[in-house]
Amino acid sequence: SALDDFDIGRQTECSTFAVPRRRGAILDELREHDWVPRTARRRAAELDAALEASRGEGVCAGADLGKAAKLMGMSRSNLGKLISKPQLAAFVPLDHSEDDASESGMSVVRLLADQRSENPGAGAELADQCDAVRATLATLPEVERTVLVGYYFQQRMQKEIAKDLKVSRSRVSQIHNRAISTLRDRLGAEGAA
């Protein structure tokens, strides 16, 4: 955008024009994704400035809360309430190892993980297995495929399938067992079982 809007006729360096534009675009993007209101950030910056300005001389000298309250234009009790409010945001790295876990032995990732949600790796593995079963099922003879699809996917009883195929129920059971054995062998050979 900065290069497109750059006017060479102004006789300025491209970097003189582009650097502030890039910086502004970066700040706009950061502000857009910031969940803390600008007023809260401004108030926190004012508080920090007032506490810094009210610090006494010396290394160990702390901030004078009365002076800081006066600089902020508020009462000392209101300043105490503002200071006691939780921090605006806390950033914690999620990629800590188990060794970096807190005293309770619980890592941040474990605290955030929803134990009820499905493991994406397990879901992908199941999808791969279903694809392999589907592909192998398509290679079975039509009678075996009809028995397996009717029994497992349409939840039909073997006697209903036997009636449709015009065979005995024991024959459907034999076809079922042979088809399952064939599926198991083929999937095992492919490493998907």
Side-chain angles (χ1 to χ4, degrees), residues 6 61 64 71 96 102 116 132 160 163 166 173:
F6 178 67
D64 179 358
L71 288 170
H96 278 183
S102 66
R116 297 167 300 191
E160 293 174 24
K163 192 175 187 182
K166 297 180 175 93
S173 181

Side-chain angles (χ1 to χ4, degrees), residues 29-64:
E29 188 70 19
L30 290 172
R31 286 184 190 122
E32 184 178 325
H33 296 291
D34 190 6
W35 63 88
V36 179
R38 283 175 138 179
T39 54
R41 290 227 184 260
R42 188 184 72 240
R43 198 71 171 154
E46 289 172 358
L47 175 62
D48 286 344
L51 290 174
E52 189 61 37
S54 67
R55 289 200 192 285
E57 298 296 322
V59 177
C60 296
D64 179 358

Side-chain angles (χ1 to χ4, degrees), residues 1-7 14-15 17-23 25:
S1 173
L3 288 176
D4 291 341
D5 294 343
F6 178 67
D7 183 11
C14 182
S15 62
F17 177 76
V19 169
R21 291 284 298 264
R22 282 193 323 220
R23 183 179 185 280

Side-chain angles (χ1 to χ4, degrees), residues 62-63 83 109 126 129 163:
I83 291 172
V109 173
L126 180 62
Q129 288 174 346
K163 192 175 187 182

